[in-house]
Amino acid sequence: SASFILDIVPDGRNALEYLDKAPEHDRPCLIILDYNMPEVTGVEVLHHVKDDDRYKNVPKVVLSTSSAPQYIEKCLEAGADKYIVKPNNFSDLVTIAKEMLELCGTKVTK
């Protein structure tokens, strides 16, 4: 089975710093953002990496509590591959986690 390292940053500004400094051999296979991150929003991070060749083929997912169509549209226009509304139960969370792992190229069987 595959294993992953999950790097978590506290806000959008740190996300930008992390992505700017990530070495060629150690780039994330998936970028997960919250729409309402402090300091710099998820949409602003998406705009920042949209034209960055290093992240062109890295799936970008926004995970948010809001299902507002205007937020979804903003994120997809800014380069998000998916916009997922945060689930309110564990079963749905597991399903979403499996979908995200599959975006990294890992087939999840259980």
Side-chain angles (χ1 to χ4, degrees):
S1 70
S3 63
F4 292 88
I5 295 172
L6 182 62
D7 290 322
I8 300 172
V9 295
D11 56 48
R13 187 167 315 286
N14 279 280
L16 290 175
E17 289 173 10
Y18 173 88
L19 293 170
D20 284 343
K21 292 178 182 176
E24 181 78 34
H25 67 280
D26 196 24
R27 293 231 176 81
C29 68
L30 174 65
I31 298 171
I32 304 169
L33 303 164
D34 190 346
Y35 183 86
N36 289 313
M37 292 190 299
E39 305 251 353
V40 177
T41 68
V43 174
E44 291 171 314
V45 173
L46 287 168
H47 279 295
H48 182 79
V49 298
K50 188 174 186 174
D51 297 320
D52 189 331
D53 285 342
R54 299 173 302 163
Y55 296 108
K56 225 178 228 6
N57 297 319
V58 176
K60 292 162 257 337
V61 175
V62 175
L63 189 60
S64 179
T65 55
S66 175
S67 60
Q70 66 268 27
Y71 290 172
I72 297 169
E73 189 177 328
K74 265 187 188 179
C75 291
L76 295 176
E77 284 176 359
D81 295 285
K82 280 189 167 213
Y83 185 104
I84 300 170
V85 177
K86 290 179 183 175
N88 56 10
N89 65 67
F90 187 73
S91 174
D92 288 348
L93 181 62
V94 169
T95 301
I96 290 168
K98 287 178 183 178
E99 287 176 19
M100 289 188 190
L101 288 174
E102 289 181 1
L103 286 172
C104 281
T106 301
K107 185 70 183 147
V108 180
T109 54
K110 289 189 175 186

